[in-house]
Amino acid sequence: MKVVLLSGSKVGSKTRTAMDYTKKAITEKYPDLETTLIDLAEYDVEFSDGRNYLEYEGDTGYVTKTIMEADAIIIGTPIFQASIPATLKNIFDLLPVNALQHKVASIVVTAGSSKHYLIAENQLKPILGYMKAQIVQTYVFVEEQDFHRKEITNDDVLFRIDRLVEDTVVLTETYTKIREEKEAAYGF
Amino acid sequence: MEKYRINPSKGLEFGIYTLGDHIPDPHTGERISAEQRIHEIIELAKIAEQAGIDFFSVGESHQEYFATQAHSVVLSAIAQATEKIKIASSSTIISTSDPVRVYEDFATIDLISKGRTEIIAGRASRVGLFDLLGYNLRDYEELFEEKFELLLKINEEKIVNWSGQFRAPLRNAEVIPRPQSGSMPIWRAVGGPPASAIKAGYAGVPMFLANLGGPATSFKFSVDAYREAAKQNGFDPAQLPISTAGFFYAAETTQQAQKEAYPHVNQGMKLINGRGYPKQQFAQGADTRDVMNVGSPQQIIEKILYQHELFGHQRYIGQMDFGGVPFDKLMKNIELIGNEILPAIKKYTAKK
């Protein structure tokens, strides 16, 4: 199983911090999984111009191909201007229609205010749904007050990250099994 | 329909097309050489002709896993190797070529083939060739529309006066050689959504509609929109032929056809588009109402007749070599077409 953790912002450190915790949780609990953390701040990703993702080169090609090869994606996003950041939206724009079919997607949100709680629900989930992801319904919402100098200090958040990781892996394994059984029944 | 060399009273024309893909066989992982692939395409055209198939076309693609970038050169070889089968490009990417050169090439192939050649012009479904050939992807739509218009003009007029955005103007230009009968059929290649079909109808040009898979009724929408647009712009839809193009694979039973075709279609899609073909959708493809012609000869006959009833189209072309299908399997397909499918289709669609 391949899991990609996508830290969706070029700005700030909180989403990356949360994703580092998530990565640590997943590698500790499931050391055999192939996990890759992509922090968009470290890559020079082009804006989508409509071509097939296989035709992009360099960082853009690397990021899109790595996501397309994953079985599960854990998306980390800050909330900017009451929305997901453009860097993250661009990743979706770079991918083809139905790109997330047969993939599991789960969400970690970092935000300055609890007022942004429904943004993942209202903006991110519809995109993931349109792209046919199997979405882990509960997500982790981390507020400014849960951080202290690049560390997460709220144990509730840490427990929730552990549960998100577990749910992501369980759903991916289960879904893969269901799909394999179903496909075997077609006989071709 | 005479202008397009089609006589509907003879029934639905049946053809085969290849995109010239050069993909490893999914079972062995082995890829034949580009030389062998090109020769097999030429051979396939010859065998198709012997089986009584009406039409054979070769596509242009400039990316990895393809061997017919110079598709007009391959068509030229096919023109020489065959005698009566119609030949065409499916499609020529007119956006990134000079219409004058395309016309010169295809008029020449028409002379070699003694009046059997057609052009199907498309916009490119993959856009890597824009970089390769020095065009800006931002001009995607305008490039096609302008160059396609010029191509049609060259076909209609002996002396061309023209100016546009993407090519040097033509002043009293005579584009030669002329095709055998002075002009040749030029089709517009159209993808799924109706917007492009409407443009074809508006221009009053025949339409080649790609419909790889999915319910046939959803393509009916494009067909109707095409005819309606043609009518609105003063063309008679009855004079404008429609062709459809999609996946084809025949075997003794539908189960066997699916079993044999799926690994190729799936791997071909994976390598070229980055996504495999969902098994669930492929399984549904066997349903008579689905447009994908994969199945037993009887199943395919039923499907094609159903589609003919629905679309009222004049030609169907099938893609059966996608994804490294070995040549002996292609021969087997042609045998089933020639012996079982073709006679039945002609019998039921020819006007008595």
Side-chain angles (χ1 to χ4, degrees):
Chain A
M1 186 196 300
K2 288 183 182 173
V3 181
V4 168
L5 297 106
L6 181 66
S7 185
S9 171
K10 269 190 182 303
V11 183
S13 64
K14 292 189 186 64
T15 300
R16 173 62 195 257
T17 301
M19 293 312 278
D20 283 338
Y21 274 91
T22 311
K23 171 108 195 277
K24 191 162 160 274
I26 200 165
T27 42
E28 272 174 9
K29 184 145 189 173
Y30 306 98
D32 295 338
L33 297 187
E34 196 180 316
T35 52
T36 311
L37 173 65
I38 295 175
D39 182 352
L40 292 182
E42 292 170 357
Y43 294 93
D44 193 11
V45 178
E46 291 170 59
F47 277 119
S48 164
D49 65 8
R51 65 187 65 200
N52 183 288
Y53 79 95
L54 293 172
E55 291 175 41
Y56 289 99
E57 283 165 8
D59 285 356
T60 315
Y62 168 76
V63 169
T64 51
K65 281 166 206 154
T66 308
I67 291 171
M68 290 299 283
E69 281 162 16
D71 301 297
I73 307 162
I74 304 179
I75 296 164
T77 178
I79 303 298
F80 294 159
Q81 310 280 38
S83 186
I84 62 167
T87 39
L88 180 58
K89 179 60 166 65
N90 186 43
I91 299 298
F92 298 132
D93 294 347
L94 285 162
L95 301 178
V97 172
N98 299 342
L100 304 181
Q101 193 164 28
H102 306 322
K103 296 188 198 307
V104 168
S106 52
I107 303 167
V108 176
V109 183
T110 61
S113 153
S114 62
K115 293 188 179 65
H116 290 317
Y117 184 70
L118 285 174
I119 283 167
E121 202 70 53
N122 294 334
Q123 294 185 6
L124 192 49
K125 277 192 182 176
I127 299 171
L128 297 175
Y130 178 76
M131 296 178 83
K132 310 281 181 286
Q134 299 289 329
I135 304 172
V136 174
Q137 289 302 330
T138 50
Y139 48 92
V140 177
F141 187 86
V142 200
E143 278 188 67
E144 186 114 37
Q145 65 194 16
D146 302 322
F147 291 94
H148 178 69
R149 300 180 72 180
K150 299 196 176 174
E151 301 217 359
I152 292 173
T153 48
N154 183 346
D155 287 339
D156 183 43
V157 171
L158 298 176
F159 286 153
R160 290 182 66 127
I161 286 176
D162 287 344
R163 297 206 297 269
L164 184 81
V165 159
E166 203 174 289
D167 289 350
T168 306
V169 173
V170 168
L171 188 63
T172 310
E173 280 173 347
T174 312
Y175 182 69
T176 307
K177 219 173 278 171
I178 293 169
R179 187 160 54 88
E180 278 169 0
E181 270 176 33
K182 177 73 193 147
E183 287 188 350
Y186 291 128
F188 61 79
Chain B
M1 305 252 173
E2 280 160 42
K3 187 179 170 190
Y4 303 107
R5 304 174 188 163
I6 284 179
N7 182 354
S9 69
K10 288 189 169 170
L12 181 70
E13 286 194 1
F14 185 98
I16 285 172
Y17 74 104
T18 175
L19 297 183
D21 60 82
H22 184 209
I23 289 172
D25 182 331
H27 302 293
T28 62
E30 274 170 36
R31 183 158 85 150
I32 59 175
S33 68
E35 178 186 331
Q36 190 183 341
R37 178 75 174 115
I38 288 169
H39 279 283
E40 285 184 358
I41 289 171
I42 298 165
E43 195 57 30
L44 193 65
K46 281 162 67 178
I47 300 166
E49 175 173 84
Q50 284 158 17
I53 289 169
D54 300 295
F55 175 94
F56 190 91
S57 65
V58 181
E60 167 186 0
S61 199
H62 294 264
Q63 69 205 58
E64 208 189 346
Y65 298 117
F66 285 85
T68 56
Q69 288 74 10
H71 68 312
S72 55
V73 180
V74 177
L75 283 165
S76 173
I78 291 171
Q80 177 70 8
T82 54
E83 278 166 15
K84 55 180 201 279
I85 194 166
K86 294 180 182 183
I87 54 180
S89 55
S90 62
S91 56
T92 295
I93 311 306
I94 199 71
S95 321
T96 48
S97 301
D98 175 13
V100 173
R101 285 309 308 262
V102 167
Y103 202 80
E104 287 171 345
D105 283 353
F106 279 83
T108 305
I109 300 171
D110 191 62
L111 296 178
I112 296 172
S113 69
K114 298 184 177 153
R116 291 183 281 132
T117 303
E118 306 177 14
I119 300 174
I120 300 164
R123 303 202 290 193
S125 60
R126 287 289 296 274
V127 294
L129 81 170
F130 280 71
D131 280 347
L132 180 71
L133 301 176
Y135 289 90
N136 190 339
L137 189 55
R138 274 171 189 244
D139 301 322
Y140 180 76
E141 192 153 348
E142 220 17 70
L143 267 170
F144 176 82
E145 299 302 335
E146 179 178 305
K147 293 193 176 199
F148 186 58
E149 258 178 42
L150 175 56
L151 184 71
L152 293 173
K153 197 173 164 74
I154 294 169
N155 196 33
E156 298 294 327
E157 296 170 13
K158 268 196 139 151
I159 305 293
V160 182
N161 281 289
W162 176 91
S163 72
Q165 210 186 327
F166 300 105
R167 190 202 186 284
L170 295 168
R171 289 192 195 93
N172 295 324
E174 189 186 8
V175 179
I176 48 173
R178 302 305 296 176
Q180 196 199 48
S181 57
S183 70
M184 64 181 138
I186 297 180
W187 303 66
R188 179 173 177 137
V190 168
S196 196
I198 290 169
K199 287 195 179 89
Y202 233 72
V205 292
M207 169 172 80
F208 239 100
L209 179 67
N211 52 9
L212 298 184
T217 46
S218 60
F219 295 97
K220 167 79 169 148
F221 197 77
S222 285
V223 167
D224 289 347
Y226 165 75
R227 291 202 177 111
E228 185 56 36
K231 208 162 91 185
Q232 275 181 17
N233 215 21
F235 297 100
D236 178 7
Q239 296 304 315
L240 292 172
I242 293 176
S243 177
T244 61
F247 285 132
F248 179 99
Y249 197 95
E252 301 296 343
T253 64
T254 296
Q255 287 80 356
Q256 195 191 336
Q258 285 187 312
K259 207 171 185 159
E260 286 180 16
Y262 183 75
H264 296 284
V265 170
N266 185 45
Q267 161 153 302
M269 293 298 247
K270 212 178 240 170
L271 290 177
I272 286 159
N273 290 329
R275 301 278 297 149
Y277 202 98
K279 255 193 182 182
Q280 199 177 33
Q281 253 163 279
F282 196 81
Q284 273 188 337
D287 193 291
T288 307
R289 295 166 299 173
D290 192 285
V291 85
M292 190 191 291
N293 292 319
V294 173
S296 66
Q298 195 47 48
Q299 176 77 347
I300 288 176
I301 292 163
E302 246 175 75
K303 277 165 162 278
I304 291 181
L305 293 177
Y306 167 69
Q307 288 161 28
H308 185 64
E309 206 169 297
L310 199 62
F311 303 143
H313 56 323
Q314 284 70 31
R315 180 186 285 168
Y316 161 76
I317 61 172
Q319 183 183 11
M320 61 188 201
D321 68 342
F322 182 61
V325 180
F327 197 65
D328 60 327
K329 287 280 192 295
L330 299 178
M331 302 247 284
K332 179 73 192 159
N333 263 276
I334 300 261
E335 193 188 311
L336 292 172
I337 294 168
N339 292 343
E340 301 184 43
I341 298 171
L342 215 48
I345 289 169
K346 296 288 181 191
K347 183 178 157 196
Y348 290 112
T349 60
K351 294 206 177 67
K352 287 167 192 116

